[in-house]
Amino acid sequence: MSTVQITAQDINKLRQATGAGMMDCRKALTETNGDFEAAIDWLRKQGQKVAAKRSDREAKEGVVIARTSADNKIGYVLTISSETDFVSKNADFVAFAQSIADAAVATDAKSAEELNEATVNGGKVSDLINDKLASIGEKIGIARYERVEAPYVASYIHGAYRMGVLVAFNKEAADAGKDVAMQIAAMNPVAVDAASVPADVVTRERDIVMEQMKADPKMAGKPEEMISKIAEGKLNAFFKESTLTAQAYVKDNSKSVGDYLKSVDSDLKVIEFKRVALG
């Protein structure tokens, strides 16, 4: 039983993230002692179709900018956060965020810390941010910064600067770059393929599948070998839905993203990607 106080705000946060009912969210938080991510897992183990944990979402408000170097070999995506959408939707603030992205490209900053120390228009980026903070009266800053380097990098900005995607390829991919980036924006894969899914994610999904099966009356009395095979089948379904190259291609559901890449160039491969979203 939970030893922490579960507030209405906690319950509402879980409802917003999962779509589960209020009482279910209260129960999940109580059973997990207020641990938000564990509560999501608890709901999923009960068989509820809720959002899986994703690490791409950062500040609720702000601007996401994705850019590449002139030769498309390096990509940058960053979030300049704000406290309200009134600020983030302001054209001047968007232009300010773009100027910070310009500085990232111009200096090839390797991290947010390095970008903050970069000099642009005669001043440090951190000083420019502090000046902007003072002028608008809201806390702003570089909430997230990602850099990708590859033989070819494509960038894409979606939803009025609310999401940015970088996709790294093993070779030039001008024709496929935007299509694959849009796929990532729409379908939010967890990894490029099954082999690149982090071990902790695989373990987490396997545990959830096993808990779901234990709770299923139809599985009662079934041989362990059969349960294991069914569990692996469910895990394979997760890989198909949640890894980029196995997903159905959004522009043509008759083929996977992997099939689409082969149709463009038999040797074309995605090396990695970054997807950064507000909310």
Side-chain angles (χ1 to χ4, degrees):
M1 188 62 64
S2 175
T3 58
V4 300
Q5 183 177 1
I6 308 301
T7 68
Q9 185 177 8
D10 295 331
I11 295 169
N12 187 56
K13 179 183 176 183
L14 188 58
R15 288 187 70 190
Q16 292 294 321
T18 64
M22 182 178 71
M23 296 307 295
D24 289 328
C25 289
R26 180 186 292 278
K27 177 71 171 175
L29 287 166
T30 300
E31 290 292 327
T32 59
N33 207 33
D35 186 318
F36 187 79
E37 297 300 340
I40 292 177
D41 283 355
W42 187 90
L43 287 167
R44 295 183 67 203
K45 287 174 181 178
Q46 308 312 304
Q48 296 204 32
K49 293 186 178 297
V50 302
K53 182 171 73 173
R54 293 287 187 270
S55 62
D56 65 329
R57 293 190 178 274
E58 297 293 328
K60 283 198 171 185
E61 299 301 337
V63 171
V64 182
I65 305 290
R67 291 277 178 80
T68 62
S69 57
D71 60 5
N72 287 99
K73 293 188 181 299
I74 306 174
Y76 313 83
V77 60
L78 66 153
T79 301
I80 304 298
S81 63
S82 67
E83 294 180 39
T84 65
D85 64 349
F86 176 79
V87 167
S88 66
K89 291 177 180 178
N90 182 278
D92 181 64
F93 186 76
V94 174
F96 173 74
Q98 290 173 331
S99 72
I100 302 302
D102 289 341
V105 177
T107 62
D108 189 25
K110 306 300 190 297
S111 65
E113 293 75 19
E114 193 171 312
L115 178 56
N116 269 314
E117 294 300 312
T119 299
V120 57
N121 297 328
K124 283 201 312 184
V125 166
S126 58
D127 292 336
L128 296 176
I129 289 174
N130 286 333
D131 290 344
K132 179 62 72 174
L133 185 157
S135 69
I136 66 177
E138 283 195 10
K139 182 180 179 180
I140 65 172
I142 303 171
R144 185 166 174 187
Y145 182 79
E146 300 284 354
R147 178 185 179 277
V148 169
E149 187 168 0
Y152 186 90
V153 181
S155 65
Y156 172 65
I157 299 173
H158 177 77
Y161 300 101
R162 294 193 66 83
M163 183 190 300
V165 176
L166 298 175
V167 194
F169 295 88
N170 65 330
K171 60 193 300 186
E172 194 277 328
D175 293 335
K178 184 176 180 180
D179 286 337
V180 175
M182 290 174 69
Q183 171 85 24
I184 293 166
M187 301 306 294
N188 196 10
V190 299
V192 173
D193 52 29
S196 56
V197 176
D200 63 320
V201 174
V202 176
T203 300
R204 182 179 190 232
E205 291 301 320
R206 182 176 281 110
D207 288 347
I208 288 170
V209 166
M210 292 305 295
E211 288 295 330
Q212 288 174 343
M213 294 180 68
K214 288 178 183 177
D216 187 350
K218 295 178 182 178
M219 292 293 106
K222 298 291 184 183
E224 190 69 28
E225 184 179 352
M226 178 184 292
I227 293 175
S228 179
K229 284 183 178 180
I230 295 173
E232 286 305 310
K234 288 180 176 290
L235 196 59
N236 287 334
F238 164 77
F239 290 141
K240 185 174 181 179
E241 292 176 0
S242 303
T243 60
L244 177 62
T245 55
Q247 286 180 338
Y249 180 41
V250 291
K251 285 191 171 184
D252 182 356
N253 286 333
S254 69
K255 63 177 70 173
S256 68
V257 174
D259 292 334
Y260 165 67
L261 290 172
K262 288 179 182 177
S263 72
V264 174
D265 184 326
S266 60
D267 296 322
L268 184 61
K269 290 181 173 58
V270 174
I271 300 172
E272 65 173 312
F273 63 84
K274 299 292 183 181
R275 181 184 186 274
V276 175
L278 295 170

